Amino acid sequence: MGIFSRLRRTGGQDNEQTPWHSQPMEGDGVFVIEDVFVITGRGPVFTGAVESGMLRVGDVLTLDAEPSTDLAISGAIKAIESRHRKSQMVVAGDKAGIMLQGVRSENLPYSRSASGFVLDTQALRGNRMRTLAARTTTET
């Protein structure tokens, strides 16, 4: 029996404490990119971890790239997957895969290889994506 069984038995209420994810998350949502891959017909998926704050479907993320690079990636979150399940939000400490609306594979950096051009995931690894506005309250 896990936590979900206990919550189901008590009608969804855990009287011992308020779930940690319902607490207000202050500051910008920051997502650190670990890898990027492209799903044919769907677009790029950014995988990584939420470093701080909260990210929700609909939030606009913008890449914090070095000014010397030409990377300009920005878009609203259209899908989040965390722990092999679709989710509406992720919070600091969560690992997730995120798809951004309006970002296509053509917007990502490519490098030349012997077989042609390949997605340059190394150029994106470690970069941070931030929400445009700080989130200080949660919707109930």
Side-chain angles (χ1 to χ4, degrees):
M1 282 195 154
I3 187 166
F4 298 111
S5 300
R6 183 179 70 206
L7 291 176
R8 196 175 305 118
R9 253 194 347 261
T10 60
Q13 300 295 319
D14 185 354
N15 296 326
E16 295 175 18
Q17 64 182 12
T18 305
W20 62 273
H21 63 272
S22 67
Q23 300 298 322
M25 303 296 284
E26 295 188 20
D28 290 343
V30 178
F31 183 77
V32 180
I33 300 170
E34 292 176 4
D35 202 4
V36 181
F37 59 93
V38 177
I39 299 176
T40 304
R42 302 254 354 238
V45 176
F46 299 88
T47 62
V50 181
E51 185 175 70
S52 65
M54 176 188 308
L55 302 176
R56 292 185 183 173
V57 171
D59 285 350
V60 176
L61 288 180
T62 302
L63 182 69
D64 274 353
E66 293 290 323
S68 60
T69 66
D70 293 340
L71 295 176
I73 298 171
S74 182
I77 299 174
K78 69 177 176 180
I80 299 173
E81 186 173 308
S82 181
R83 297 182 186 99
H84 303 289
R85 291 194 170 98
K86 287 187 179 185
S87 181
Q88 291 297 305
M89 71 171 203
V90 284
V91 296
D94 287 345
K95 291 202 174 265
I98 294 177
M99 293 183 76
L100 299 178
Q101 191 169 8
V103 176
R104 299 185 316 233
S105 60
E106 298 86 36
N107 303 119
L108 303 176
Y110 283 83
S111 62
R112 196 163 191 53
S113 74
S115 60
F117 287 95
V118 294
L119 182 61
D120 187 1
T121 58
Q122 198 63 27
L124 292 169
R125 283 189 186 132
N127 282 309
R128 287 167 169 71
M129 299 182 94
R130 297 181 187 275
T131 56
L132 290 179
R135 180 180 304 283
T136 57
T137 60
T138 59
E139 297 174 1
T140 56

